[in-house]
Amino acid sequence: MMTSRLCLLPRFRSRTARPAAAALLVAGLSLAAGCSSGEEDAALTSASSSSMTTTPPASTPETTPPAPQVPAEELAPKLLAVGVTDFESARAAVDAGVRHLFFGTGSDFSMLNGQGDPERSIAALQRRAGEPLRVSVDEEGGMVQRLSELIGTLPAPRDMARTMTPEQVRGMMAEHGRKMAELGFTVDFAPSIDLAGGENIEDNAIGSRSFGSDPQVVARYARAYVEGLLDAGITPVLKHFPGHGHANGDSHTGEVFVPPVEQLKQADLKPFAELLEIPGVEVMMGHVQARGLNPDEPASVSPATYGLLRKGWEGFGGYQGVVYTDDLTGMRAITDRYPGAEAVVAALSAGADQGLTAAGAFDLPELISAVTEAIRNGEIAPEQAQRSAERLAPPAEETEN
């Protein structure tokens, strides 16, 4: 419970003794100089008044109290976005301290609000947690949508850009987002803002998931999509940084490469630069490799790629919000290199705020134990883990409910 308010702890500094001390000092100087009683009163009044507004002198520096140190075993589950299969697995995750539940292939959607027993629902899990949960799903439209049987279908992003106006897309996503929120979702791992690198979906797993090949078109339609979700209270997650649309293959089946980073800056990264400045959006790190940036390892486990995102590039000043990884358990671009919990530890060590794992992929206590030990031994820097927990902490008004 204590980590939900990490970034909300007040820091108080005592200044009550300084006005009186300043007043006495001025009074003493005034008497020594032979001031009249009226002048003394004026000096006292002036000193007392000015002391309330003047900053402390450089000779008496103040130190900011250190940030609260949260035990590694409490931090570790906060850094996981865990796929759930059924209510029992979701309840076990919540009881273990996990605060992000992911619904994907194989998840039992009967536990969504309004779909079954109210005591075995997202709302019940929320009460059990005692603090806000992140509840996420991949709901892009077209070939990637999990909720079509519950709340209706969405066209593929490519078809949205070809047949609709941005205003129509925003309205459609606002309506769809409201239906998602009613089911209990808070986060949508969408939209994909990768540029279209080819028409054949088998080429790179993007195809019709992209709004198009023109960065301006992608940015314009993705903005409408994002704003519609935000209108509904759903957090959009832009993916797959730094751009998967020109990959030479599918990261589900093996390692993939994208153009060199300087080329990405000229095209693939432009939609990210524009849309990551929208308040309330978050981002997902992909598993691609780019020359000049991370040629030897996937982006999701590459400190250099997180560094690019955080520090920015020409035309973009950097992003300081929440960063998720793409699935670390079912995509061979990552699992061929990092088996089991090693992938999660590597991603969190590199700079991810939350590692995403598919339903049933891990023994959860073992995964939490591995991340806890990595924080304790410094493989995941403790201060970095705490910063991630602070980014992920719910706003104050939510924690007070």
Side-chain angles (χ1 to χ4, degrees):
M1 294 287 189
M2 65 180 282
T3 56
S4 67
R5 298 174 184 264
L6 279 174
C7 60
L8 309 174
L9 296 176
R11 296 176 178 172
F12 298 102
R13 301 187 178 100
S14 174
R15 304 188 179 194
T16 55
R18 289 192 184 120
L24 289 173
L25 176 61
V26 173
L29 292 174
S30 299
L31 289 172
C35 296
S36 66
S37 60
E39 291 169 329
E40 293 167 15
D41 292 341
L44 284 168
T45 301
S46 173
S48 177
S49 173
S50 64
S51 70
M52 300 301 290
T53 58
T54 303
T55 56
S59 59
T60 57
E62 294 184 359
T63 58
T64 301
Q69 296 303 305
V70 180
E73 62 269 20
E74 293 187 29
L75 282 175
K78 306 291 186 186
L79 309 184
L80 303 174
V82 174
V84 295
T85 52
D86 52 22
F87 185 79
E88 284 70 28
S89 69
R91 181 175 58 195
V94 168
D95 289 349
V98 172
R99 293 297 179 261
H100 185 157
L101 307 178
F102 169 64
F103 282 72
T105 302
S107 296
D108 179 3
F109 289 154
S110 71
M111 71 178 110
L112 297 175
N113 293 341
Q115 302 304 301
D117 183 352
E119 296 304 313
R120 297 170 61 85
S121 64
I122 297 297
L125 292 167
Q126 183 84 41
R127 292 191 297 271
R128 192 176 187 92
E131 61 182 316
L133 294 174
R134 290 175 184 245
V135 183
S136 62
V137 66
D138 284 314
E139 185 72 358
E140 298 177 18
M143 66 174 294
V144 180
Q145 50 186 321
R146 315 294 184 195
L147 307 175
S148 57
E149 293 184 4
L150 298 177
I151 59 176
T153 61
L154 289 171
R158 179 172 61 191
D159 295 332
M160 294 182 197
R162 288 177 174 177
T163 65
M164 303 173 70
T165 66
E167 293 74 19
Q168 289 172 326
V169 170
R170 179 171 181 171
M172 177 181 66
M173 293 313 304
E175 180 181 359
H176 203 75
R178 284 189 285 271
K179 294 176 182 177
M180 292 173 65
E182 289 173 0
L183 293 174
F185 290 105
T186 66
V187 175
D188 187 4
F189 286 134
S192 167
I193 60 171
D194 305 292
L195 303 186
E199 291 296 315
N200 189 347
I201 193 62
E202 283 77 23
D203 285 350
N204 59 15
I206 301 301
S208 63
R209 300 169 66 188
S210 171
F211 291 101
S213 57
D214 184 332
Q216 293 183 336
V217 170
V218 171
R220 183 164 62 251
Y221 275 89
R223 176 181 289 275
Y225 189 115
V226 161
E227 289 175 342
L229 288 177
L230 290 172
D231 290 342
I234 297 291
T235 298
V237 179
L238 307 176
K239 59 187 188 184
H240 308 77
F241 191 89
H244 201 295
H246 288 95
N248 67 342
D250 181 352
S251 53
H252 289 85
T253 60
E255 69 176 12
V256 295
F257 292 86
V258 295
V261 64
E262 291 306 318
Q263 287 184 231
L264 294 177
K265 291 177 182 178
Q266 300 303 313
D268 297 71
L269 283 168
K270 286 187 173 181
F272 285 99
E274 180 173 337
L275 300 178
L276 282 173
E277 295 182 347
I278 300 174
V281 303
E282 296 174 345
V283 64
M284 174 181 283
M285 189 69 71
H287 299 316
V288 299
Q289 298 172 230
R291 291 193 300 278
L293 179 62
N294 62 313
D296 300 321
E297 58 191 354
S300 54
V301 294
S302 164
T305 312
Y306 290 98
L308 176 69
L309 176 61
R310 296 297 191 194
K311 296 176 183 178
W313 55 92
E314 185 177 358
F316 176 58
Y319 169 75
Q320 301 307 317
V322 173
V323 182
Y324 307 96
T325 68
D326 204 346
D327 178 21
L328 294 168
T329 60
M331 304 179 73
R332 292 188 59 185
I334 189 77
T335 59
D336 283 354
R337 293 168 173 264
Y338 297 91
E342 290 181 29
V344 178
V345 170
L348 295 175
S349 175
D353 292 311
Q354 277 194 333
L356 175 62
T357 65
F362 287 126
D363 178 275
L364 184 57
E366 290 183 7
L367 176 59
I368 293 175
S369 178
V371 175
T372 299
E373 180 57 27
I375 296 172
R376 285 177 178 157
N377 66 27
E379 188 174 358
I380 300 171
E383 61 273 19
Q384 177 178 307
Q386 182 156 314
R387 279 197 303 271
S388 292
E390 291 171 353
R391 289 189 186 105
L392 293 158
E397 61 269 19
E398 292 187 37
T399 61
E400 291 168 1
N401 291 333

PDB file of all heavy atoms in Angstrom, residues 64-98:
ATOM      1  N   THR A  64      17.526  19.014   1.103  1.00  0.00           N
ATOM      2  CA  THR A  64      16.264  18.327   0.855  1.00  0.00           C
ATOM      3  C   THR A  64      16.334  16.922   1.438  1.00  0.00           C
ATOM      4  O   THR A  64      17.287  16.190   1.170  1.00  0.00           O
ATOM      5  CB  THR A  64      15.992  18.234  -0.660  1.00  0.00           C
ATOM      6  OG1 THR A  64      15.949  19.549  -1.199  1.00  0.00           O
ATOM      7  CG2 THR A  64      14.681  17.515  -0.921  1.00  0.00           C
ATOM      8  N   PRO A  65      15.351  16.546   2.233  1.00  0.00           N
ATOM      9  CA  PRO A  65      15.379  15.197   2.803  1.00  0.00           C
ATOM     10  C   PRO A  65      15.428  14.153   1.699  1.00  0.00           C
ATOM     11  O   PRO A  65      14.858  14.349   0.624  1.00  0.00           O
ATOM     12  CB  PRO A  65      14.040  15.112   3.571  1.00  0.00           C
ATOM     13  CG  PRO A  65      13.644  16.532   3.811  1.00  0.00           C
ATOM     14  CD  PRO A  65      14.167  17.304   2.649  1.00  0.00           C
ATOM     15  N   PRO A  66      16.136  13.053   1.905  1.00  0.00           N
ATOM     16  CA  PRO A  66      16.203  12.018   0.865  1.00  0.00           C
ATOM     17  C   PRO A  66      14.838  11.412   0.610  1.00  0.00           C
ATOM     18  O   PRO A  66      13.966  11.404   1.473  1.00  0.00           O
ATOM     19  CB  PRO A  66      17.159  10.974   1.472  1.00  0.00           C
ATOM     20  CG  PRO A  66      17.069  11.197   2.958  1.00  0.00           C
ATOM     21  CD  PRO A  66      16.848  12.679   3.127  1.00  0.00           C
ATOM     22  N   ALA A  67      14.652  10.928  -0.611  1.00  0.00           N
ATOM     23  CA  ALA A  67      13.391  10.271  -0.965  1.00  0.00           C
ATOM     24  C   ALA A  67      13.212   9.035  -0.092  1.00  0.00           C
ATOM     25  O   ALA A  67      14.181   8.409   0.315  1.00  0.00           O
ATOM     26  CB  ALA A  67      13.403   9.879  -2.439  1.00  0.00           C
ATOM     27  N   PRO A  68      11.972   8.696   0.207  1.00  0.00           N
ATOM     28  CA  PRO A  68      11.744   7.520   1.047  1.00  0.00           C
ATOM     29  C   PRO A  68      12.282   6.263   0.376  1.00  0.00           C
ATOM     30  O   PRO A  68      12.135   6.065  -0.817  1.00  0.00           O
ATOM     31  CB  PRO A  68      10.211   7.465   1.166  1.00  0.00           C
ATOM     32  CG  PRO A  68       9.711   8.232  -0.009  1.00  0.00           C
ATOM     33  CD  PRO A  68      10.729   9.301  -0.245  1.00  0.00           C
ATOM     34  N   GLN A  69      12.932   5.421   1.157  1.00  0.00           N
ATOM     35  CA  GLN A  69      13.488   4.177   0.627  1.00  0.00           C
ATOM     36  C   GLN A  69      12.458   3.061   0.752  1.00  0.00           C
ATOM     37  O   GLN A  69      12.069   2.672   1.842  1.00  0.00           O
ATOM     38  CB  GLN A  69      14.770   3.816   1.378  1.00  0.00           C
ATOM     39  CG  GLN A  69      15.889   4.826   1.179  1.00  0.00           C
ATOM     40  CD  GLN A  69      16.241   5.015  -0.294  1.00  0.00           C
ATOM     41  OE1 GLN A  69      16.537   4.026  -0.982  1.00  0.00           O
ATOM     42  NE2 GLN A  69      16.219   6.228  -0.776  1.00  0.00           N
ATOM     43  N   VAL A  70      11.998   2.572  -0.381  1.00  0.00           N
ATOM     44  CA  VAL A  70      10.970   1.540  -0.403  1.00  0.00           C
ATOM     45  C   VAL A  70      11.660   0.188  -0.538  1.00  0.00           C
ATOM     46  O   VAL A  70      12.541   0.009  -1.377  1.00  0.00           O
ATOM     47  CB  VAL A  70      10.003   1.768  -1.572  1.00  0.00           C
ATOM     48  CG1 VAL A  70       8.929   0.696  -1.591  1.00  0.00           C
ATOM     49  CG2 VAL A  70       9.385   3.160  -1.473  1.00  0.00           C
ATOM     50  N   PRO A  71      11.285  -0.782   0.274  1.00  0.00           N
ATOM     51  CA  PRO A  71      11.918  -2.096   0.184  1.00  0.00           C
ATOM     52  C   PRO A  71      11.790  -2.698  -1.208  1.00  0.00           C
ATOM     53  O   PRO A  71      10.777  -2.524  -1.899  1.00  0.00           O
ATOM     54  CB  PRO A  71      11.149  -2.926   1.217  1.00  0.00           C
ATOM     55  CG  PRO A  71      10.607  -1.927   2.185  1.00  0.00           C
ATOM     56  CD  PRO A  71      10.298  -0.707   1.360  1.00  0.00           C
ATOM     57  N   ALA A  72      12.808  -3.427  -1.626  1.00  0.00           N
ATOM     58  CA  ALA A  72      12.825  -4.019  -2.960  1.00  0.00           C
ATOM     59  C   ALA A  72      11.641  -4.941  -3.185  1.00  0.00           C
ATOM     60  O   ALA A  72      11.071  -4.983  -4.287  1.00  0.00           O
ATOM     61  CB  ALA A  72      14.132  -4.785  -3.165  1.00  0.00           C
ATOM     62  N   GLU A  73      11.222  -5.667  -2.147  1.00  0.00           N
ATOM     63  CA  GLU A  73      10.116  -6.598  -2.326  1.00  0.00           C
ATOM     64  C   GLU A  73       8.786  -5.881  -2.550  1.00  0.00           C
ATOM     65  O   GLU A  73       7.839  -6.467  -3.086  1.00  0.00           O
ATOM     66  CB  GLU A  73      10.008  -7.549  -1.127  1.00  0.00           C
ATOM     67  CG  GLU A  73       9.722  -6.874   0.201  1.00  0.00           C
ATOM     68  CD  GLU A  73      10.992  -6.495   0.950  1.00  0.00           C
ATOM     69  OE1 GLU A  73      12.062  -6.401   0.295  1.00  0.00           O
ATOM     70  OE2 GLU A  73      10.910  -6.300   2.170  1.00  0.00           O
ATOM     71  N   GLU A  74       8.692  -4.606  -2.148  1.00  0.00           N
ATOM     72  CA  GLU A  74       7.484  -3.829  -2.436  1.00  0.00           C
ATOM     73  C   GLU A  74       7.559  -3.157  -3.800  1.00  0.00           C
ATOM     74  O   GLU A  74       6.542  -2.978  -4.467  1.00  0.00           O
ATOM     75  CB  GLU A  74       7.268  -2.780  -1.349  1.00  0.00           C
ATOM     76  CG  GLU A  74       6.935  -3.362   0.014  1.00  0.00           C
ATOM     77  CD  GLU A  74       6.571  -2.287   1.027  1.00  0.00           C
ATOM     78  OE1 GLU A  74       6.056  -1.231   0.607  1.00  0.00           O
ATOM     79  OE2 GLU A  74       6.802  -2.502   2.224  1.00  0.00           O
ATOM     80  N   LEU A  75       8.768  -2.779  -4.219  1.00  0.00           N
ATOM     81  CA  LEU A  75       8.933  -2.167  -5.534  1.00  0.00           C
ATOM     82  C   LEU A  75       8.716  -3.168  -6.660  1.00  0.00           C
ATOM     83  O   LEU A  75       8.075  -2.860  -7.674  1.00  0.00           O
ATOM     84  CB  LEU A  75      10.339  -1.572  -5.662  1.00  0.00           C
ATOM     85  CG  LEU A  75      10.624  -0.242  -4.995  1.00  0.00           C
ATOM     86  CD1 LEU A  75      12.103   0.097  -5.130  1.00  0.00           C
ATOM     87  CD2 LEU A  75       9.769   0.863  -5.600  1.00  0.00           C
ATOM     88  N   ALA A  76       9.255  -4.372  -6.511  1.00  0.00           N
ATOM     89  CA  ALA A  76       9.303  -5.338  -7.618  1.00  0.00           C
ATOM     90  C   ALA A  76       7.954  -5.581  -8.283  1.00  0.00           C
ATOM     91  O   ALA A  76       7.847  -5.487  -9.520  1.00  0.00           O
ATOM     92  CB  ALA A  76       9.925  -6.652  -7.133  1.00  0.00           C
ATOM     93  N   PRO A  77       6.882  -5.916  -7.553  1.00  0.00           N
ATOM     94  CA  PRO A  77       5.610  -6.194  -8.247  1.00  0.00           C
ATOM     95  C   PRO A  77       5.018  -4.975  -8.926  1.00  0.00           C
ATOM     96  O   PRO A  77       4.234  -5.112  -9.869  1.00  0.00           O
ATOM     97  CB  PRO A  77       4.704  -6.721  -7.131  1.00  0.00           C
ATOM     98  CG  PRO A  77       5.301  -6.222  -5.868  1.00  0.00           C
ATOM     99  CD  PRO A  77       6.775  -6.173  -6.108  1.00  0.00           C
ATOM    100  N   LYS A  78       5.389  -3.769  -8.474  1.00  0.00           N
ATOM    101  CA  LYS A  78       4.884  -2.552  -9.111  1.00  0.00           C
ATOM    102  C   LYS A  78       5.436  -2.382 -10.522  1.00  0.00           C
ATOM    103  O   LYS A  78       4.863  -1.646 -11.333  1.00  0.00           O
ATOM    104  CB  LYS A  78       5.262  -1.317  -8.288  1.00  0.00           C
ATOM    105  CG  LYS A  78       4.850  -1.353  -6.837  1.00  0.00           C
ATOM    106  CD  LYS A  78       3.360  -1.267  -6.657  1.00  0.00           C
ATOM    107  CE  LYS A  78       3.016  -1.154  -5.176  1.00  0.00           C
ATOM    108  NZ  LYS A  78       1.549  -1.216  -4.953  1.00  0.00           N
ATOM    109  N   LEU A  79       6.556  -3.038 -10.797  1.00  0.00           N
ATOM    110  CA  LEU A  79       7.237  -2.860 -12.080  1.00  0.00           C
ATOM    111  C   LEU A  79       6.829  -3.907 -13.107  1.00  0.00           C
ATOM    112  O   LEU A  79       7.464  -4.031 -14.146  1.00  0.00           O
ATOM    113  CB  LEU A  79       8.757  -2.912 -11.869  1.00  0.00           C
ATOM    114  CG  LEU A  79       9.320  -1.992 -10.778  1.00  0.00           C
ATOM    115  CD1 LEU A  79      10.836  -2.071 -10.751  1.00  0.00           C
ATOM    116  CD2 LEU A  79       8.854  -0.554 -10.967  1.00  0.00           C
ATOM    117  N   LEU A  80       5.735  -4.625 -12.829  1.00  0.00           N
ATOM    118  CA  LEU A  80       5.285  -5.694 -13.713  1.00  0.00           C
ATOM    119  C   LEU A  80       3.877  -5.428 -14.227  1.00  0.00           C
ATOM    120  O   LEU A  80       2.987  -5.058 -13.462  1.00  0.00           O
ATOM    121  CB  LEU A  80       5.301  -7.029 -12.967  1.00  0.00           C
ATOM    122  CG  LEU A  80       6.633  -7.460 -12.355  1.00  0.00           C
ATOM    123  CD1 LEU A  80       6.452  -8.723 -11.535  1.00  0.00           C
ATOM    124  CD2 LEU A  80       7.691  -7.662 -13.438  1.00  0.00           C
ATOM    125  N   ALA A  81       3.678  -5.618 -15.524  1.00  0.00           N
ATOM    126  CA  ALA A  81       2.350  -5.651 -16.134  1.00  0.00           C
ATOM    127  C   ALA A  81       2.090  -7.119 -16.460  1.00  0.00           C
ATOM    128  O   ALA A  81       2.727  -7.686 -17.349  1.00  0.00           O
ATOM    129  CB  ALA A  81       2.296  -4.796 -17.397  1.00  0.00           C
ATOM    130  N   VAL A  82       1.193  -7.734 -15.715  1.00  0.00           N
ATOM    131  CA  VAL A  82       1.064  -9.191 -15.726  1.00  0.00           C
ATOM    132  C   VAL A  82      -0.196  -9.627 -16.468  1.00  0.00           C
ATOM    133  O   VAL A  82      -1.307  -9.192 -16.140  1.00  0.00           O
ATOM    134  CB  VAL A  82       1.035  -9.722 -14.272  1.00  0.00           C
ATOM    135  CG1 VAL A  82       0.758 -11.213 -14.251  1.00  0.00           C
ATOM    136  CG2 VAL A  82       2.366  -9.418 -13.588  1.00  0.00           C
ATOM    137  N   GLY A  83      -0.021 -10.497 -17.450  1.00  0.00           N
ATOM    138  CA  GLY A  83      -1.162 -11.089 -18.131  1.00  0.00           C
ATOM    139  C   GLY A  83      -1.907 -12.039 -17.200  1.00  0.00           C
ATOM    140  O   GLY A  83      -1.290 -12.786 -16.441  1.00  0.00           O
ATOM    141  N   VAL A  84      -3.235 -11.985 -17.246  1.00  0.00           N
ATOM    142  CA  VAL A  84      -4.050 -12.839 -16.375  1.00  0.00           C
ATOM    143  C   VAL A  84      -4.906 -13.767 -17.227  1.00  0.00           C
ATOM    144  O   VAL A  84      -5.347 -13.413 -18.321  1.00  0.00           O
ATOM    145  CB  VAL A  84      -4.952 -12.001 -15.443  1.00  0.00           C
ATOM    146  CG1 VAL A  84      -4.096 -11.191 -14.473  1.00  0.00           C
ATOM    147  CG2 VAL A  84      -5.853 -11.059 -16.232  1.00  0.00           C
ATOM    148  N   THR A  85      -5.126 -14.976 -16.702  1.00  0.00           N
ATOM    149  CA  THR A  85      -5.948 -15.947 -17.413  1.00  0.00           C
ATOM    150  C   THR A  85      -7.377 -15.959 -16.890  1.00  0.00           C
ATOM    151  O   THR A  85      -8.326 -15.989 -17.659  1.00  0.00           O
ATOM    152  CB  THR A  85      -5.343 -17.354 -17.279  1.00  0.00           C
ATOM    153  OG1 THR A  85      -5.103 -17.642 -15.894  1.00  0.00           O
ATOM    154  CG2 THR A  85      -4.033 -17.448 -18.034  1.00  0.00           C
ATOM    155  N   ASP A  86      -7.542 -15.952 -15.564  1.00  0.00           N
ATOM    156  CA  ASP A  86      -8.864 -16.034 -14.955  1.00  0.00           C
ATOM    157  C   ASP A  86      -8.872 -15.223 -13.668  1.00  0.00           C
ATOM    158  O   ASP A  86      -7.863 -14.578 -13.324  1.00  0.00           O
ATOM    159  CB  ASP A  86      -9.244 -17.489 -14.680  1.00  0.00           C
ATOM    160  CG  ASP A  86      -8.167 -18.241 -13.888  1.00  0.00           C
ATOM    161  OD1 ASP A  86      -7.349 -17.580 -13.208  1.00  0.00           O
ATOM    162  OD2 ASP A  86      -8.133 -19.480 -13.957  1.00  0.00           O
ATOM    163  N   PHE A  87     -10.004 -15.232 -12.969  1.00  0.00           N
ATOM    164  CA  PHE A  87     -10.119 -14.411 -11.766  1.00  0.00           C
ATOM    165  C   PHE A  87      -9.112 -14.835 -10.705  1.00  0.00           C
ATOM    166  O   PHE A  87      -8.539 -13.991 -10.008  1.00  0.00           O
ATOM    167  CB  PHE A  87     -11.539 -14.479 -11.200  1.00  0.00           C
ATOM    168  CG  PHE A  87     -11.746 -13.569 -10.028  1.00  0.00           C
ATOM    169  CD1 PHE A  87     -11.959 -12.204 -10.215  1.00  0.00           C
ATOM    170  CD2 PHE A  87     -11.726 -14.060  -8.729  1.00  0.00           C
ATOM    171  CE1 PHE A  87     -12.132 -11.353  -9.134  1.00  0.00           C
ATOM    172  CE2 PHE A  87     -11.901 -13.223  -7.641  1.00  0.00           C
ATOM    173  CZ  PHE A  87     -12.103 -11.863  -7.841  1.00  0.00           C
ATOM    174  N   GLU A  88      -8.882 -16.138 -10.582  1.00  0.00           N
ATOM    175  CA  GLU A  88      -7.946 -16.617  -9.565  1.00  0.00           C
ATOM    176  C   GLU A  88      -6.533 -16.096  -9.822  1.00  0.00           C
ATOM    177  O   GLU A  88      -5.835 -15.675  -8.889  1.00  0.00           O
ATOM    178  CB  GLU A  88      -7.949 -18.142  -9.518  1.00  0.00           C
ATOM    179  CG  GLU A  88      -9.152 -18.758  -8.826  1.00  0.00           C
ATOM    180  CD  GLU A  88     -10.451 -18.591  -9.606  1.00  0.00           C
ATOM    181  OE1 GLU A  88     -10.372 -18.493 -10.860  1.00  0.00           O
ATOM    182  OE2 GLU A  88     -11.529 -18.563  -8.986  1.00  0.00           O
ATOM    183  N   SER A  89      -6.103 -16.109 -11.082  1.00  0.00           N
ATOM    184  CA  SER A  89      -4.760 -15.610 -11.383  1.00  0.00           C
ATOM    185  C   SER A  89      -4.689 -14.103 -11.177  1.00  0.00           C
ATOM    186  O   SER A  89      -3.661 -13.575 -10.721  1.00  0.00           O
ATOM    187  CB  SER A  89      -4.359 -15.973 -12.812  1.00  0.00           C
ATOM    188  OG  SER A  89      -5.126 -15.260 -13.774  1.00  0.00           O
ATOM    189  N   ALA A  90      -5.764 -13.395 -11.487  1.00  0.00           N
ATOM    190  CA  ALA A  90      -5.791 -11.955 -11.271  1.00  0.00           C
ATOM    191  C   ALA A  90      -5.761 -11.632  -9.779  1.00  0.00           C
ATOM    192  O   ALA A  90      -5.047 -10.719  -9.336  1.00  0.00           O
ATOM    193  CB  ALA A  90      -7.031 -11.347 -11.917  1.00  0.00           C
ATOM    194  N   ARG A  91      -6.513 -12.376  -9.006  1.00  0.00           N
ATOM    195  CA  ARG A  91      -6.526 -12.157  -7.554  1.00  0.00           C
ATOM    196  C   ARG A  91      -5.151 -12.441  -6.951  1.00  0.00           C
ATOM    197  O   ARG A  91      -4.675 -11.685  -6.091  1.00  0.00           O
ATOM    198  CB  ARG A  91      -7.582 -13.050  -6.907  1.00  0.00           C
ATOM    199  CG  ARG A  91      -7.701 -12.881  -5.388  1.00  0.00           C
ATOM    200  CD  ARG A  91      -8.854 -13.712  -4.864  1.00  0.00           C
ATOM    201  NE  ARG A  91      -8.692 -15.133  -5.197  1.00  0.00           N
ATOM    202  CZ  ARG A  91      -9.664 -16.035  -5.127  1.00  0.00           C
ATOM    203  NH1 ARG A  91     -10.888 -15.673  -4.761  1.00  0.00           N
ATOM    204  NH2 ARG A  91      -9.431 -17.297  -5.432  1.00  0.00           N
ATOM    205  N   ALA A  92      -4.498 -13.505  -7.402  1.00  0.00           N
ATOM    206  CA  ALA A  92      -3.169 -13.824  -6.891  1.00  0.00           C
ATOM    207  C   ALA A  92      -2.172 -12.714  -7.223  1.00  0.00           C
ATOM    208  O   ALA A  92      -1.306 -12.370  -6.407  1.00  0.00           O
ATOM    209  CB  ALA A  92      -2.698 -15.160  -7.474  1.00  0.00           C
ATOM    210  N   ALA A  93      -2.290 -12.140  -8.424  1.00  0.00           N
ATOM    211  CA  ALA A  93      -1.393 -11.049  -8.809  1.00  0.00           C
ATOM    212  C   ALA A  93      -1.613  -9.824  -7.928  1.00  0.00           C
ATOM    213  O   ALA A  93      -0.658  -9.202  -7.449  1.00  0.00           O
ATOM    214  CB  ALA A  93      -1.605 -10.702 -10.280  1.00  0.00           C
ATOM    215  N   VAL A  94      -2.872  -9.479  -7.713  1.00  0.00           N
ATOM    216  CA  VAL A  94      -3.189  -8.326  -6.865  1.00  0.00           C
ATOM    217  C   VAL A  94      -2.674  -8.560  -5.448  1.00  0.00           C
ATOM    218  O   VAL A  94      -2.073  -7.670  -4.827  1.00  0.00           O
ATOM    219  CB  VAL A  94      -4.704  -8.063  -6.868  1.00  0.00           C
ATOM    220  CG1 VAL A  94      -5.091  -7.069  -5.765  1.00  0.00           C
ATOM    221  CG2 VAL A  94      -5.142  -7.523  -8.229  1.00  0.00           C
ATOM    222  N   ASP A  95      -2.893  -9.747  -4.910  1.00  0.00           N
ATOM    223  CA  ASP A  95      -2.443 -10.046  -3.548  1.00  0.00           C
ATOM    224  C   ASP A  95      -0.920 -10.015  -3.439  1.00  0.00           C
ATOM    225  O   ASP A  95      -0.376  -9.747  -2.363  1.00  0.00           O
ATOM    226  CB  ASP A  95      -2.960 -11.412  -3.106  1.00  0.00           C
ATOM    227  CG  ASP A  95      -4.472 -11.415  -2.849  1.00  0.00           C
ATOM    228  OD1 ASP A  95      -5.070 -10.318  -2.814  1.00  0.00           O
ATOM    229  OD2 ASP A  95      -5.047 -12.520  -2.699  1.00  0.00           O
ATOM    230  N   ALA A  96      -0.228 -10.265  -4.558  1.00  0.00           N
ATOM    231  CA  ALA A  96       1.234 -10.227  -4.562  1.00  0.00           C
ATOM    232  C   ALA A  96       1.785  -8.818  -4.721  1.00  0.00           C
ATOM    233  O   ALA A  96       3.008  -8.628  -4.672  1.00  0.00           O
ATOM    234  CB  ALA A  96       1.774 -11.122  -5.682  1.00  0.00           C
ATOM    235  N   GLY A  97       0.897  -7.837  -4.921  1.00  0.00           N
ATOM    236  CA  GLY A  97       1.344  -6.459  -5.050  1.00  0.00           C
ATOM    237  C   GLY A  97       1.358  -5.913  -6.457  1.00  0.00           C
ATOM    238  O   GLY A  97       1.690  -4.747  -6.678  1.00  0.00           O
ATOM    239  N   VAL A  98       0.999  -6.745  -7.452  1.00  0.00           N
ATOM    240  CA  VAL A  98       0.928  -6.281  -8.844  1.00  0.00           C
ATOM    241  C   VAL A  98      -0.254  -5.334  -8.983  1.00  0.00           C
ATOM    242  O   VAL A  98      -1.342  -5.600  -8.481  1.00  0.00           O
ATOM    243  CB  VAL A  98       0.777  -7.475  -9.806  1.00  0.00           C
ATOM    244  CG1 VAL A  98       0.496  -7.005 -11.232  1.00  0.00           C
ATOM    245  CG2 VAL A  98       2.020  -8.352  -9.761  1.00  0.00           C
TER     246      VAL A  98
END
